[in-house]
Amino acid sequence: MDMKSLYLTVPLAPLVGAALAGFTCRVAPRWFSAGVTILGVAISLVASLLVLQDVLAGHTFYGNLYTWATSGNYTFSVGFQIDTLTAMMMCVVTSVSLLVHIYTIGYMSDDDGFRRFFSYISLFTFSMLMLVMSNNFLQLFFGWEAVGLVSYLLIGFYMNRDTAIFANLKAFLVNRVGDFGFILGIGLVLAYFGTLDYKTVFDAAPSLADKTINLVGSAEWSLMTVTCICLFIGAMGKSAQVPLHVWLPDSMEGPTPISALIHAATMVTAGIFMVARCSPLFNLSPTALSFVLIIGATTALFMGFLGMIQNDIKRIVAYSTLSQLGYMTVALGVAAYPIAIFHLMTHAFFKALLFLGAGSVIIGMHHDQDIRNMGGLWKYMPITWITTLIGSLSLIAFPFFSGFYSKDSIIEAVHFSNIPGSGYALFAVTASVFVTTYYTFRSYFIVFHGPERWNDAAHVAAAHAHDDHAHDAHDAHGHDDHGHEEHHHGLQPGDKPHESPWVVTFPLIMLAIPSVIIGYFAIDPMLYGSFFDGVIAVNKGMPVMANMEEEFHGPLAMAIHSIQTVPFWLMMAGIVVTYYFYMVKPSIPDALAKKFSGIYKLMDNKYYFDAFNMAVFAGGARKLGAFLNRFGEATIIDGFFVNGSAKLVGVVAGIVRHFQTGYLYQYAFTMIIGVFALLTLWFFTT
């Protein structure tokens, strides 16, 4: 098989699997749907590994497969750009996707939508692969929207549940806001560069670095700044950055496997990948980089705060995703693009591990997601316990774990940056170390250690009480979709938790391995070696990476040196404080929540972003629709045009019927009057 055929195999194999599973979902047995999609993704993974091997040997590819459309001087093609960035993304997407597919066999085993779900997640994989393999902005946009479309189907997978309907509508609408900015950015690229081809655009970018455009009035705006900010607005939607972050926590309404895919390896990473790919453009606009930096820093810190008060095990991990995406965006903002991609890669493995671990806990707890009903699970679910601990240590950046190397590199990069906003960003990402540790180990200690609370009558009653978190206690599992919503979710008196089946624990073990080792082995070639040479543009005006290379003396030395740094001691303080709060003096958090009730209420309402959107945007849209319905349709269309036309016809008919008497002489007289009128008109007009 030649390399071009191998490139085609990577996205097409999951697509074929999705098509076969989808078109036969009503007649084929369950094993066929699972088998054909897993086989497709497995083939894609093997092909991706072969492509990575070929790329590391020095062979790249940039070319078009066929011309999709031609309009005037513009040509729109479908093609691939295969380099180290692409190959790495292909391997991450396909490996995580394969493990999620295997995990789904166990998690969705009793779900009526089993076959449909496998078709969706395989199509999701195809969409993401088309996005990362594209060599032009049009194909990028196709993958961008395809991922969004499938996410809409998956978040609202349980279409009979009101919360799922609301969640997928929110995801769809918020992403359309971001995509509007994205398409404007692509439009500016086409208008001023005359093409959507990556290579042509990036090569021509320096010649347009000083180009200005008029947007409002006579004010001059930098073309690069406007283009980059518009493109980044698209990334704000896809990668859930403030204020377009509100859809991501609600995506938990979908089943846990898709939560893992959305948060770890596919959709939310698309924005990070896009900015890194467009580094030749962003390097030409310090203003755009500052904008990216401030947005990312705000997301990293303030979304982490919200994770500190969550009681739904999946939502805690969801808010950690928001915070970690903020870290990646911060790295982009200081032009440390390789570090952003490095953290994207390590995050994909440990975040998928944490989501799938949360799903395993949910299975063991009979679909109860409320951490307040758990405790002491380490004795009953040892594999889930150990793998979740590994994922948690990687998330908090504990030395030698994968997350440590990527996350600490981001903090160091911000330290070396001097662009506007870097001081604020340094404070945000440093403080976020403590915040991340707090919400991560709060969940870990409550779930796996402490008293066994699932049979405590008081806690059971509290879990079923009507409060502001009632919706968080619902599981996004298939039982709700086929008539079991009235059943109690959770262990019954006398029941005990149980370890998940091997199709669930096997992916946990496989994800735990890279969560431990991949950062150690990858940091040197990806950040300070030649891995991204010629792929990601280096910002020569911001020598962040060069300064970091001078300070880097190997992964072992980096880990040892970290014990002298502020982030390490903030992390250790987070572990100690969390242990004391929830294992020694569990009354303290409740007392603090009461004492600082205003702050707690602010965070409990998610800074009122949802309330603002519902009141201003949704409420405004409804009022506008009601006004247009009342004034536009009722008054103008129905009142003036429809009813007015009917009345006019009635008036004319009332006049005309006086001339329709049936007498011949009256018709003759009418004809004479008409001829006279015509002759008069002709006389005065000639």
Side-chain angles (χ1 to χ4, degrees):
M1 180 183 291
D2 65 329
M3 292 308 300
K4 189 177 290 188
S5 300
L6 194 64
Y7 301 151
L8 283 169
T9 301
V10 175
L12 291 182
L15 179 62
V16 171
L20 290 173
F23 288 123
T24 63
C25 66
R26 295 185 180 275
V27 294
R30 291 189 169 211
W31 64 263
F32 176 81
S33 301
V36 73
T37 51
I38 290 174
L39 177 62
V41 177
I43 292 172
S44 183
L45 172 59
V46 172
S48 297
L49 292 171
L50 293 174
V51 169
L52 177 62
Q53 184 183 33
D54 188 62
V55 169
L56 293 176
H59 305 125
T60 60
F61 176 82
Y62 189 99
N64 296 326
L65 301 179
Y66 68 91
T67 299
W68 179 67
T70 301
S71 178
N73 296 324
Y74 303 118
T75 299
F76 306 102
S77 301
V78 176
F80 292 149
Q81 178 173 357
I82 307 298
D83 51 28
T84 50
L85 175 60
T86 305
M88 185 275 294
M89 289 293 297
M90 289 160 57
C91 291
V92 170
V93 170
T94 53
S95 59
V96 174
S97 179
L98 177 61
L99 293 172
V100 169
H101 275 70
I102 297 171
Y103 178 95
T104 300
I105 297 174
Y107 192 87
M108 303 287 288
S109 60
D110 59 347
D111 196 288
D112 290 344
F114 183 91
R115 303 172 185 85
R116 177 165 59 96
F117 189 80
F118 270 98
S119 178
Y120 285 173
I121 59 175
S122 194
L123 185 62
F124 204 59
T125 307
F126 158 76
S127 303
M128 190 64 188
L129 288 169
M130 288 297 293
L131 188 156
V132 301
M133 295 175 70
S134 63
N135 72 340
N136 62 82
F137 285 97
L138 181 65
Q139 189 174 327
L140 171 71
F141 189 72
F142 164 78
W144 195 272
E145 293 301 313
V147 167
L149 170 63
V150 186
S151 73
Y152 174 82
L153 298 173
L154 286 163
I155 295 170
F157 185 76
Y158 302 120
M159 71 248 336
N160 296 324
R161 189 192 303 166
D162 290 340
T163 51
I165 295 170
F166 181 79
N168 73 353
L169 284 175
K170 182 190 284 190
F172 184 81
L173 292 173
V174 172
N175 273 279
R176 296 296 73 74
V177 174
D179 291 352
F180 180 71
F182 191 51
I183 196 70
L184 287 178
I186 293 175
L188 286 170
V189 170
L190 183 62
Y192 287 92
F193 290 88
T195 180
L196 294 177
D197 181 77
Y198 285 162
K199 190 175 187 306
T200 307
V201 171
F202 297 157
D203 289 344
S207 64
L208 295 174
D210 299 323
K211 176 71 176 177
T212 59
I213 57 176
N214 292 106
L215 293 180
V216 181
S218 59
E220 297 286 332
W221 296 73
S222 166
L223 171 64
M224 287 301 164
T225 297
V226 175
T227 301
C228 290
I229 288 177
C230 285
L231 291 173
F232 180 68
I233 289 172
M236 288 169 62
K238 273 292 183 288
S239 295
Q241 298 295 288
V242 172
L244 301 182
H245 68 282
V246 294
W247 68 271
L248 193 60
D250 290 276
S251 68
M252 299 298 97
E253 287 295 330
T256 295
I258 193 54
S259 300
L261 269 185
I262 287 178
H263 287 251
T266 55
M267 187 170 172
V268 296
T269 63
I272 308 300
F273 167 81
M274 183 271 295
V275 175
R277 177 63 83 193
C278 295
S279 57
L281 301 181
F282 281 84
N283 284 338
L284 299 173
S285 176
T287 303
L289 288 175
S290 287
F291 180 78
V292 172
L293 178 64
I294 292 170
I295 292 293
T298 303
T299 305
L301 181 60
F302 288 92
M303 294 301 105
F305 284 144
L306 298 186
M308 297 171 70
I309 66 167
Q310 301 298 314
N311 293 310
D312 182 299
I313 189 171
K314 287 205 302 180
R315 288 180 181 264
I316 295 171
V317 187
Y319 278 105
S320 83
T321 301
L322 285 169
S323 183
Q324 297 308 303
L325 287 167
Y327 271 92
M328 299 176 206
T329 305
V330 165
L332 297 173
V334 297
Y337 309 106
I339 303 179
I341 298 299
F342 182 42
H343 194 49
L344 183 157
M345 179 188 70
T346 61
H347 176 264
F349 293 110
F350 68 72
K351 185 52 56 70
L353 172 60
L354 288 172
F355 265 114
L356 299 188
S360 181
V361 169
I362 293 168
I363 295 173
M365 290 296 299
H366 289 200
H367 316 299
D368 189 351
Q369 294 185 198
D370 196 325
I371 62 174
R372 294 169 295 184
N373 300 332
M374 303 176 189
L377 295 188
W378 72 273
K379 293 182 291 185
Y380 305 96
M381 307 180 70
I383 298 175
T384 302
W385 163 53
I386 291 293
T387 53
T388 300
L389 178 59
I390 290 172
S392 299
L393 291 171
S394 193
L395 173 60
I396 68 171
F398 198 85
F400 294 104
F401 287 80
S402 292
F404 160 76
Y405 292 102
S406 55
K407 194 172 180 178
D408 266 36
S409 295
I410 293 174
I411 298 173
E412 189 176 358
V414 180
H415 173 74
F416 283 114
S417 176
N418 58 6
I419 70 169
S422 57
Y424 165 70
L426 182 61
F427 165 77
V429 295
T430 304
S432 188
V433 172
F434 177 86
V435 174
T436 301
T437 305
Y438 184 93
Y439 65 65
T440 301
F441 271 83
R442 170 180 176 264
S443 175
Y444 169 76
F445 286 135
I446 293 175
V447 171
F448 292 103
H449 299 281
E452 301 173 354
R453 291 178 287 268
W454 56 82
N455 285 328
D456 190 327
H459 284 275
V460 172
H464 287 83
H466 180 73
D467 63 3
D468 293 337
H469 298 289
H471 66 281
D472 290 350
H474 285 285
D475 173 55
H477 198 259
H479 292 289
D480 292 349
D481 195 46
H482 45 79
H484 296 274
E485 194 160 283
E486 72 277 6
H487 288 189
H488 170 61
H489 279 188
L491 297 170
Q492 300 299 311
D495 290 345
K496 293 185 181 296
H498 56 84
E499 186 61 275
S500 301
W502 74 268
V503 289
V504 172
T505 56
F506 173 75
L508 296 180
I509 296 170
M510 297 305 295
L511 286 167
I513 296 171
S515 297
V516 176
I517 67 173
I518 199 168
Y520 184 95
F521 292 103
I523 183 171
D524 195 0
M526 289 187 70
L527 301 193
Y528 310 111
S530 58
F531 191 83
F532 289 125
D533 284 358
V535 178
I536 295 176
V538 177
N539 192 325
K540 296 180 180 178
M542 299 171 58
V544 171
M545 296 302 299
N547 292 336
M548 290 182 63
E549 187 172 5
E550 292 179 3
E551 299 290 330
F552 182 74
H553 302 290
L556 179 61
M558 179 180 176
I560 296 173
H561 177 264
S562 70
I563 64 174
Q564 306 174 33
T565 63
V566 172
F568 175 81
W569 290 107
L570 283 174
M571 177 194 64
M572 295 304 296
I575 296 175
V576 172
V577 169
T578 309
Y579 181 83
Y580 186 77
F581 277 12
Y582 294 97
M583 294 291 101
V584 181
K585 290 286 187 180
S587 60
I588 294 179
D590 292 334
L592 290 174
K594 292 178 181 178
K595 186 174 182 178
F596 300 98
S597 58
I599 297 175
Y600 183 87
K601 186 177 180 181
L602 178 66
M603 292 194 295
D604 190 38
N605 287 280
K606 297 172 282 189
Y607 307 121
Y608 293 96
F609 272 104
D610 283 340
F612 178 82
N613 290 334
M614 290 298 295
V616 177
F617 294 111
R622 285 196 298 268
K623 289 178 180 178
L624 178 62
F627 171 77
L628 293 175
N629 177 66
R630 185 171 57 254
F631 179 76
E633 184 175 354
T635 304
I636 297 179
I637 298 175
D638 289 342
F640 180 78
F641 288 107
V642 178
N643 296 334
S645 300
K647 290 179 180 178
L648 179 62
V649 171
V651 171
V652 173
I655 297 172
V656 171
R657 72 168 173 257
H658 292 294
F659 298 95
Q660 297 178 331
T661 60
Y663 295 106
L664 183 61
Y665 69 84
Q666 192 163 11
Y667 293 144
F669 178 73
T670 303
M671 291 176 63
I672 292 170
I673 295 297
V675 170
F676 177 77
L678 289 172
L679 289 173
T680 303
L681 180 65
W682 174 80
F683 178 79
F684 284 105
T685 55
T686 56

